[in-house]
Each structure stands twice: as C-alpha cells, then as structure tokens.
C-alpha cells in the first residue's frame, strides 16, 4: 500500500498482556501505519470459539500448550476469567532441548549431528504421551517390547570417508603409479649403493697397495683409521666389497633387461666404514619394505589366493539413532517439570489448582468442556492422559469431557478470521483511531476472545490553584507555618 494500511487489523496477544506492550503496538499501528481500527484477542480463545459446536457450552477450561509455555484458561459464560489464569513455563522448545541433551549423552560420537531441528522432527513424528509414566517405563525394560517399539532414525553419512566408492580401475591405476615410482627409486638407490661401495673398495685397495710397496708406517696408520687390526681383516673386507659390487652390477643389468625390479635389502652387507656418506631416509625404506612382496626375485610357481579377513562394519548402522524411552521422556516434562530440574507444577496439578478456586457447581460446568489446543498438544495419548488425570482428581461418578482442536496449530488463525468476518460491520471489539487518541494506546475493547481490560488508576492530585493562596498566607507568620 502507499504509505499506510487502509484496512482493519486483527492481532493476537498473550494472556494478561501488559498494558505497556499493547500501548507500544497500538502506537505503531496507528501512528506509523495509519490503521483505521484494530482488535486484540487471545490465540487460544480464538481456537476455542472456532471449534465450538452448537451443543457445546459457552464455559470451559482451555489448555493451551505452545512452543514456549502452557496456559490454563478458565472461560465462564463466554468470557475469560483472567484472575484465575495460570501459566507453566514449559512447552515444545524445552522438550526439544531435553531430548537433544538425552541423545547427545547417549550418542557422543554424533554430537554435532543431533541438532535442535532434528529433535523437533523426532518429537513430532516419534514421541507420545504415556498414560502411566512409571508403568510405561517398566514395559520398556522387557527386550521383546523394546524390539517391537523402538524407532530407528537414520542420520546422514558419506561412504567417501572410507574410500569404498573408489572404482577398481582408479585403484589399479594408482597401484601402477606407485609401482613405477618404486622402480625408479630402486634403480636410483642401486646406483648410489654401487658408487658408494666402489669408493670404499678403491680406498681399501689403496691401503693394500701401501702394504705391497713396503710403506708400513702409512699402512698401520690407515688401518687405525679404518678401525682394523690386521692385513687379513683388510683382505676379508676387500673380498666382501668386491662381491657386493659384482652383485649390484648384475642386478642393474638384469633390471635393464627385465621390467621387474628388486628391492635392495635395507641392512648393509658390509660394515659401515663411512657413516657420514650413507644418508638414507627411514620413510623410504619402510615404504619399500611395504611393497617388498611385489618385487620378489623368486616368484613362487603357484600363487595361492589368500582370503583376507576384514572386520564387518556397517557404516549406515553406525549413524542410526535408536529411540526407546526417549519417546516418552521428552514430552513428559509438561506433566513432570522436575525431570529437567524446573521447580514448577505440571498440567495436572495446575488444572486441579485452578478448579479448586471455584465452587463445586462452577467446577462441574468447567470440566464439561476441557479444550486442548496448541502445537504441543498434538502428541498421541495426550487426550487420554488428561482424561486419566481428571478421573483421579474429580469426585466419584462425576462426568467430564475432553476435546481436542481439529487443527491445534492453525485453529487460532481460523478463529481470528471467523471473528473478523462476523464482526466487521460491528463496533464491538474494535479500537478506532478516535478511541486511541482519547483513551491511550493501552485501551482495549473486550469481546468474546479478548483479554480483560484493567485500566490504569492514577491517584488524584490537588489543583495547584488552591495551593497558591495557602502558600501566600503562610509566608506572613513563620510560627503558623511551623
């Protein structure tokens, strides 16, 4: 619209809404949006009158349980009795938080996946109200009852974490790449080993030539540097190094002819004569030893298939939530707030407290129409539980009736729509701009689904004109003023 709202507004408010809150809302609607008229009502009362049938009495006890709180509203002769309304600060939000805390303690491995939105979904689809809470818990102790009534909820998961979705062709290609890298590594290591052994052999032969030339002083000095005792030990090391050099040359020639490459043993065949010259990576040796069966020099004639025994692990079952007693423990907090540490009375105790504030005749009228509305009353078994609680608190052979709203979530909107259509041309219940300017933003016109208007009573002040002469007379005699 062009800068204003040119049609009336029907607005819901809380039970016993403070006058200041209504004043702020009226000021916003009339001053900012230029609304022609507005009406305030209670959502649960709109739902009550939307579901009222022809044979229903105009009086009743409305139990409205929503997301944040629960209200017990007595209605007498078509009007709300605001003095005896009671509120319980528990609703669907607290039940979802309690269920989240229970499942996070039960499944600490899925702490992040147990979100508040999923808990609300579980409450809507899997929870129910037990008629007898203690007796129902005893039933859940039976294994057969547990197997027949437990609900399983599948959490999202991905198989890619374990690499189970990798194609066999990709695995084979990756394996070939690893083999090629190992072949190159082995060839490079053989050349380095051949070069190192050749240098050591040349050094030992040089020492042996000193002995043949008769240079005994230099010969003994070289033996001490090599940590050797005699010429026989020197000859033994020369023979071993010569044999190692010949074997390495043969392996290099064989690797050039054949594709298969052998892995060099990580243990040195000769004593380490020069520890600073041989720098080997331990990680490379371990990786080569891991693939050592792939490069065996002597392949067996018949390879027997080895059956690899792997533990069976079902990833889907690991990401499942088993809902047992949690199905009844979470919604039970409305009847037993002490389950979550709240020092409040439940619905049954509060309902009995409200009824006891009336006479026996009025109690009998109220219990003839106990009406349940609000999203938190959609649990299966709630109506039967309320009937059981009423049967325990009411006198012997007394009658009562419990009704559930046809649509506990949307009936408040439907009731407000029906009221707006019916009272569109009437003055009852509507606050006009003239009323707002004359009586203030907290002003309320009562109707069948509204709160009770309690105006602000200000103490009367003496007129200032009468105070002025008395002050003038009192200034002449100080003794009189005292």
């Amino acid at each position: 619209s062009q800068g204003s709202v040119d049609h009336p507004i029907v607005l819901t408010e809380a039970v016993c809404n403070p006058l200041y809150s209504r004043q702020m809302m009226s000021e916003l609607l009339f001053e900012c949006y230029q609304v022609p008229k507005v009406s305030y009502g209670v959502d649960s009362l709109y739902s009550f009158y939307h579901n009222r049938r022809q044979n229903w009495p105009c009086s009743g006890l409305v139990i409205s349980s929503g997301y944040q709180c629960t209200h017990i509203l007595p209605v007498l002769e078509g009007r709300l009795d605001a003095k005896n309304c009671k509120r319980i600060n528990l609703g669907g939000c607290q039940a979802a938080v309690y269920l989240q805390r229970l499942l996070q303690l039960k499944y600490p491995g899925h702490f992040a996946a147990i979100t508040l939105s999923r808990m609300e979904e579980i409450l809507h689809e899997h929870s129910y109200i037990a008629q007898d809470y203690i007796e129902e818990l005893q039933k859940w102790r039976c294994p057969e009852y547990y197997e027949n009534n437990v609900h399983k909820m599948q959490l999202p998961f991905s198989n890619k974490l374990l690499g189970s979705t990798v194609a066999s062709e990709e695995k084979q290609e990756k394996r070939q790449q690893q083999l090629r890298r190992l072949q190159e590594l082995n060839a490079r290591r053989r050349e380095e080993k051949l070069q190192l052994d050749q240098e050591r052999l040349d050094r030992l032969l040089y020492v042996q030539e000193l002995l043949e030339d008769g240079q005994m002083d230099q010969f003994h000095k070289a033996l001490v540097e090599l940590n050797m005792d005699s010429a026989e030990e020197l000859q033994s090391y020369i023979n071993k190094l010569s044999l190692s050099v010949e074997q390495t040359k043969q392996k290099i020639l064989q690797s050039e002819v054949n594709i298969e490459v052998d892995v060099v043993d990580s243990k040195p065949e000769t004593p380490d004569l020069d520890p600073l010259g041989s720098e080997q990576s331990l990680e490379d040796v371990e990786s080569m030893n891991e693939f050592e069966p792939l490069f065996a020099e002597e392949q067996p004639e018949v390879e027997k298939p080895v059956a690899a025994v792997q533990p069976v692990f079902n990833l889907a079952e690991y990401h499942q939530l088993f809902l047992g007693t949690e199905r009844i423990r979470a919604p039970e907090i409305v009847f037993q707030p002490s389950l979550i540490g709240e020092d409040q009375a439940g619905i049954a105790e509060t309902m009995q407290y409200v009824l006891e504030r009336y006479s026996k005749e009025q109690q009998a009228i109220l219990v003839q129409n106990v009406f349940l509305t609000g999203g938190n009353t959609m649990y299966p078994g709630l109506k039967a539980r309320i009937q059981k609680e009423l049967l325990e608190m009411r006198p012997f052979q007394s009658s009562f009736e419990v009704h559930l709203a046809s649509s506990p979530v949307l009936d408040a909107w439907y009731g407000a729509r029906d009221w707006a259509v019916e009272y569109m041309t009437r003055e009852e219940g509507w606050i006009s701009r003239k009323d707002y300017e004359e009586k203030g933003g907290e002003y309320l016109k009562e109707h069948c689904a509204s709160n009770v208007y309690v105006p602000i009573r200000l103490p009367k002040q003496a007129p200032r004109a009468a105070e002025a002469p008395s002050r003038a007379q009192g200034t002449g005699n100080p003794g009189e003023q005292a």
Side-chain angles (χ1 to χ4, degrees), residues 237-308:
Y237 284 144
I238 290 175
N239 296 336
K240 289 181 180 180
L241 275 177
S242 301
L243 181 60
S244 176
V245 169
E246 291 297 330
Q247 289 179 355
T248 304
K249 289 181 179 180
Q250 291 178 5
K251 288 182 179 180
I252 292 176
L253 293 176
Q254 187 179 0
S255 63
E256 293 177 357
V257 177
N258 301 328
I259 301 176
E260 181 180 357
V261 179
D262 299 334
V263 177
V264 179
D265 190 5
S266 60
K267 297 181 179 180
E269 298 178 1
T270 59
D272 193 1
L273 303 179
D274 189 6
L276 297 177
S278 59
E279 297 179 357
Q280 299 179 2
S281 175
L282 183 60
E283 297 180 357
D284 295 341
V285 174
E286 290 178 354
S287 63
M288 291 169 59
N289 293 335
E290 183 180 357
F291 287 87
E292 188 173 358
L294 302 175
F295 305 99
E297 294 182 4
E298 297 180 359
Q299 294 290 341
E301 296 180 357
V302 180
E303 295 183 356
K304 296 181 180 180
V306 180

Side-chain angles (χ1 to χ4, degrees), residues 333-393:
I333 65 171
V334 182
F335 291 90
Q336 300 184 50
S338 59
L339 291 176
I340 59 174
E342 290 290 339
D343 189 13
Q344 300 184 56
I347 287 183
E349 293 86 349
T350 307
M351 185 167 50
Q352 184 177 7
Y353 176 79
V354 171
L355 290 175
E356 287 177 352
R357 300 176 69 88
Y358 296 95
S359 62
K360 294 183 178 180
E361 293 77 11
Q362 290 177 325
Q363 291 182 24
I365 294 174
L366 290 174
V367 297
Q368 293 304 315
N369 187 12
V370 179
F371 179 71
L372 307 177
T373 184
N376 204 40
T377 62
M378 298 177 66
Y379 297 112
L382 178 63
K383 182 178 178 181
R385 177 68 176 272
I386 295 295
Q387 291 174 344
K388 173 180 174 296
E389 299 291 348
L390 283 171
L391 185 63
E392 292 178 356
M393 72 178 66

Side-chain angles (χ1 to χ4, degrees), residues 104-174:
Q104 284 179 345
L105 290 174
K106 187 176 180 181
Y107 299 98
H110 306 310
F111 192 90
I114 301 176
T115 60
L116 196 60
S117 60
R118 288 198 176 104
M119 297 306 100
E120 293 177 357
E121 179 184 352
I122 291 177
L123 283 175
H124 296 161
E125 298 182 2
H126 303 281
S127 298
Y128 66 98
I129 298 290
Q131 291 192 23
D132 192 327
Y133 182 67
I134 303 300
E135 182 181 351
E136 190 73 16
L137 288 180
Q138 295 295 332
K139 292 180 181 179
W140 279 98
R141 298 181 65 180
C142 178
E144 296 181 359
Y145 186 87
Y146 179 86
E147 292 294 334
N148 295 332
N149 293 275
V150 67
H151 286 192
K152 300 177 183 179
M153 182 177 180
Q154 183 67 56
L155 295 176
F157 66 96
S158 176
N159 283 327
K160 293 183 180 180
L161 298 177
L162 297 180
S164 58
T165 57
V166 180
S168 59
E169 297 180 357
E170 296 180 0
K171 290 182 179 180
Q172 188 67 21
E173 183 179 356
K174 187 176 180 180

